[in-house]
Amino acid sequence: MSNPDWLEHAARRGQSETWTLAFVFEQYRQLEGLSPDDLARELNCSRDTLLWMSLCRKPEGDTRREQVTAIAERHGVTPLSLARILRHVEIMATLAMSTRDEQTGTSRIQLAARDRIDRGDDDEPTP
Amino acid sequence: MSFPSQPEEQALHERVLARDSLAWEDVFKVFMDPIIAGLSKRPGQSQEDARDATIDVIYEYLNDPERYVPDKARLHIYLAQAARKRTVDRYRSNAARHRREQEYGGVFELRAMPPKDSLEITVEARRMADRLAQQPLTETDHHVIKLVMEGERSTHVLAEAMGLPESEETVRRREVKRNRDRLMKVLGRLRKEDSDV
């Protein structure tokens, strides 16, 4: 059976809803510089499966693990790969928030980097 | 193409209230086609507008399912009526655009995360921030990483943050991508080291 023509639109619209897997997948793609095909390959599924999965709610709460498993089972992906992506995006989002310094507008990593430069142990940037 | 029975609709609504991840996908599967078909029958109504309106109201319902009161109307009637109103809402596109433009870092809410998960994530993020600070990166690099993590995608903004000189758009874009990829590789390596620990 072919996919409905609204599927891609619904998945794309879901990228602006923070509680969707569409949002999580989009953030992960942006962070890792992946194309949709790359992401589908990482999850070992088709692009269509990725779109259907994008419509699901982001697993959370006490039943988080069960929900990850249920989504993975329905869509034929491994729970571990899905859980890994979820965790990575959550860590990065937390990291982004923790780097904000509301009072000075300077991030924690920036301050740490400055300390390091002041100490004179900043030679060459990573190639 | 028909709507489910009242008990089936109620059961689906209860799954949505219980934050069942798969229920969201099921709501789309069950309601999209029949609502779009109904809206498209109206004179002057385009299929695309009907589709966009239906997608919008389904997301609104899923974001705040408590607003739907089962005693007042069946779920498919509630959604179809909202979609019909939406098709005549001329401000819809502006609101949708505004939502899309919201800053990633600012809107990523963690409030519903269980304390244990939240703590673990915070600890890992802090550990990663510390490791990132120890990397031989310039202050500019750290600033660019921060922007990327906050969801900044504009070539212009990133180029300025990277201190790139004015140049042809394609050259600038390539340089931004090259720099961004380099920094993302550093993050990827840190993440891998972290998961190996």
Side-chain angles (χ1 to χ4, degrees):
Chain A
M1 200 178 80
S2 64
N3 282 324
D5 61 2
W6 50 259
L7 176 59
E8 189 147 8
H9 294 275
R12 195 177 311 135
R13 166 70 173 74
Q15 290 170 3
S16 59
E17 301 291 344
T18 57
W19 299 103
T20 63
L21 274 187
F23 176 86
V24 172
F25 290 156
E26 179 60 13
Q27 296 307 322
Y28 186 74
R29 281 204 321 102
Q30 293 294 332
L31 286 166
E32 297 294 295
L34 300 176
S35 70
D37 285 335
D38 292 334
L39 179 56
R41 259 193 298 279
E42 186 165 330
L43 283 162
N44 200 19
C45 68
S46 67
R47 279 283 301 276
D48 287 349
T49 301
L50 196 59
L51 291 174
W52 283 114
M53 237 188 320
S54 298
L55 301 182
C56 294
R57 193 178 208 282
K58 181 165 70 93
E60 63 193 6
D62 295 338
T63 59
R64 177 190 167 98
R65 272 188 199 154
E66 289 83 350
Q67 289 181 50
V68 168
T69 304
I71 294 169
E73 277 180 2
R74 178 186 280 190
H75 299 93
V77 301
T78 60
L80 189 61
S81 55
L82 181 58
R84 195 181 296 136
I85 287 171
L86 278 163
R87 197 163 188 82
H88 180 56
V89 171
E90 283 164 355
I91 288 169
M92 288 307 203
T94 308
L95 182 58
M97 284 191 289
S98 75
T99 58
R100 289 204 183 102
D101 186 319
E102 297 293 338
Q103 285 177 323
T104 64
T106 309
S107 80
R108 187 174 160 211
I109 32 183
Q110 277 177 286
L111 287 170
R114 268 184 211 161
D115 289 347
R116 197 162 37 72
I117 291 164
D118 291 345
R119 288 198 310 269
D121 52 352
D122 185 61
D123 299 325
E124 291 292 319
T126 299
Chain B
M1 199 184 298
S2 59
F3 292 108
S5 66
Q6 197 273 336
E8 286 169 336
E9 279 190 1
Q10 185 58 30
L12 183 53
H13 176 59
E14 278 164 18
R15 286 175 55 212
V16 170
L17 287 174
R19 307 295 191 254
D20 172 348
S21 292
L22 289 171
W24 282 40
E25 180 186 5
D26 292 337
V27 167
F28 281 98
K29 284 180 174 171
V30 165
F31 293 113
M32 279 298 290
D33 285 327
I35 292 178
I36 291 173
L39 289 177
S40 301
K41 283 180 191 159
R42 298 173 69 227
Q45 183 65 68
S46 77
Q47 182 92 6
E48 288 73 25
D49 281 351
R51 177 198 66 207
D52 290 347
T54 309
I55 288 172
D56 276 350
V57 298
I58 285 182
Y59 273 115
E60 277 172 16
Y61 160 65
L62 292 170
N63 271 327
D64 193 6
E66 286 82 5
R67 281 182 64 188
Y68 164 63
V69 182
D71 291 343
K72 286 191 178 173
R74 291 270 303 272
L75 182 53
H76 77 265
I77 294 172
Y78 170 78
L79 293 172
Q81 282 180 345
R84 196 174 67 239
K85 280 181 192 162
R86 182 56 59 98
T87 57
V88 293
D89 182 358
R90 59 189 168 148
Y91 298 109
R92 171 173 56 89
S93 58
N94 286 341
R97 188 166 56 245
H98 175 70
R99 258 199 317 277
R100 281 196 298 274
E101 288 169 355
Q102 280 182 315
E103 185 189 347
Y104 157 55
V107 298
F108 197 102
E109 299 167 69
L110 294 165
R111 63 171 183 259
M113 201 180 278
K116 181 174 167 288
D117 282 357
S118 179
L119 185 64
E120 281 178 11
I121 295 286
T122 306
V123 168
E124 281 193 46
R126 277 190 187 152
R127 198 164 57 202
M128 202 158 158
D130 290 341
R131 293 165 74 116
L132 191 58
Q134 299 308 315
Q135 294 300 302
L137 299 171
T138 63
E139 191 178 338
T140 301
D141 287 339
H142 283 289
H143 180 51
V144 172
I145 287 175
K146 179 174 172 288
L147 285 174
V148 171
M149 286 192 302
E150 286 175 354
E152 183 57 66
R153 293 172 202 170
S154 157
T155 299
H156 177 71
V157 173
L158 291 176
E160 286 217 334
M162 289 169 184
L164 296 179
E166 285 293 333
S167 58
E168 197 185 318
E169 182 63 21
T170 50
V171 176
R172 220 166 194 228
R173 194 171 294 141
R174 194 171 57 232
E175 276 303 296
V176 166
K177 184 179 182 312
R178 192 182 65 76
N179 263 303
R180 187 187 182 285
D181 288 350
R182 174 178 64 84
L183 296 172
M184 288 303 103
K185 264 186 194 165
V186 175
L187 278 182
R189 199 181 64 229
L190 286 180
R191 181 169 64 99
K192 190 169 180 307
E193 285 171 5
D194 228 27
S195 62
D196 289 346
V197 172

